[in-house]
Amino acid sequence: MLQWGPMEGFLFTNNSVLSMALSNSGLILFGALLIVYGLVLGLVFVLHSNHHIYRTVVGGFAVILLLLLGILALDFSGASGSYFTFDETRELSELLSTHRWLIIQLPILLTISSIGILLTYRERISDAHAKEYRFIVQYSTCISLFTILLIALESLV
Amino acid sequence: MTKRIHESVALSAVLAVSFTLHFAWIANVLVYRVPEIATLFSVLPEVGPVSGLYTCSIGSFLCLFLLSLLLAKGRDLSHWRTRTLWFFMASVILFLLMTMPVVYQVGIVVE
């Protein structure tokens, strides 16, 4: 089985870089999620000035939703690591010792509502009367990113 | 020609998410406090009550979205925007607070 050492690099190792990357696919999805959130966060704050940008934002949210569902699917299938045996998963679930399982619902739901708002308003999201909905999209993105960072940092506690 | 905006869809999505967040934290508290509900929520026995919590969230979101859509369709919703915004913001903050283990795990012992 592939082992990760404390200072193992990608260049001076006999292991295949691809197999190292694929052995922790959950981590790759999580990294990609943070990158896409970073991009979308910048774009949602210019929705009022550029009405064509909503297409890019909807695309970004769709990618975010797929990545979140992918992370969830990996966790459920137990493919993200050998420590996720069914017994331990059940024990974790019963105790709810970590609230990561709970707060992951927040970015999923907020992303769905943001997509709904943007697909309803389209170019007119930049109109004055859509101010409240624009704010909801911005607020949702900030809270979702905060939740994702909270999930990432919680493991350090 | 400008296209008509179906504001009811956007408003229903926001309302459904807000109510679903309330359902989710209440269901979590019940699962944590009542063992019978925890057993009831174990839709996938390998995963445990979390599977039921997720199913409950998905189900409540879809039901509430359709219900709000039916109620709001074709109505003037301009005076609902600000109220929905505040309700949504409060729901998100309340969900974050109520899903913190220090909050939902707290217990009072009466002697």
Side-chain angles (χ1 to χ4, degrees), chain A residues 76 86 90 93 96 99 101-102 104-106 109-110 117 120-121 124 129 132-133 135-136 139-140 143, chain B residues 3 6-7 11 14 17 21 28 45-50 54 57 81-82 85 88-89 92-93 99 104:
Chain A
F76 267 104
F86 280 137
R90 188 194 294 141
S93 186
L96 295 174
H99 80 308
W101 280 97
L102 292 167
I104 194 73
Q105 293 177 95
L106 196 58
L109 289 169
L110 296 184
I117 290 170
T120 306
Y121 271 84
R124 295 183 69 183
H129 72 272
E132 285 88 355
Y133 292 106
F135 182 78
I136 288 174
Y139 179 75
S140 299
I143 290 285
Chain B
K3 278 186 188 173
H6 296 280
E7 193 182 347
L11 194 103
V14 177
V17 165
L21 291 176
N28 173 48
E46 302 86 13
V47 180
V50 162
Y54 287 172
S57 295
R81 280 179 210 145
T82 316
L85 168 69
F88 174 76
M89 284 171 69
V92 170
I93 292 167
T99 51
Y104 72 78

Side-chain angles (χ1 to χ4, degrees), chain B residues 32-79:
Chain B
Y32 186 76
R33 304 267 171 189
V34 189
E36 289 81 15
I37 293 180
T39 314
L40 191 74
F41 270 63
S42 297
V43 180
L44 296 171
E46 302 86 13
V47 180
V50 162
S51 55
L53 282 173
Y54 287 172
T55 313
C56 177
S57 295
I58 296 164
S60 61
F61 174 76
L62 290 175
C63 291
L64 288 164
F65 179 66
L66 291 174
L67 190 71
S68 315
L69 206 58
L70 280 173
L71 291 173
K73 202 177 177 185
R75 290 191 183 185
D76 176 28
L77 303 165
S78 53
H79 58 287

Side-chain angles (χ1 to χ4, degrees), chain A residues 31-93:
Chain A
L33 186 67
L34 284 173
I35 293 168
V36 181
Y37 257 124
L39 293 170
V40 171
L41 185 70
L43 294 177
V44 292
F45 284 98
V46 291
L47 273 174
H48 67 283
S49 55
N50 190 342
H51 61 268
H52 289 299
I53 216 154
Y54 92 91
R55 287 195 188 95
T56 317
V57 178
V58 170
F61 278 133
V63 173
I64 284 170
L65 191 63
L66 288 173
L67 286 169
L68 285 166
L69 293 177
I71 289 169
L72 214 59
L74 268 179
D75 268 42
F76 267 104
S77 66
S80 62
S82 56
Y83 48 88
F84 258 71
T85 59
F86 280 137
D87 282 335
E88 283 174 18
T89 311
R90 188 194 294 141
E91 198 180 318
L92 263 181
S93 186

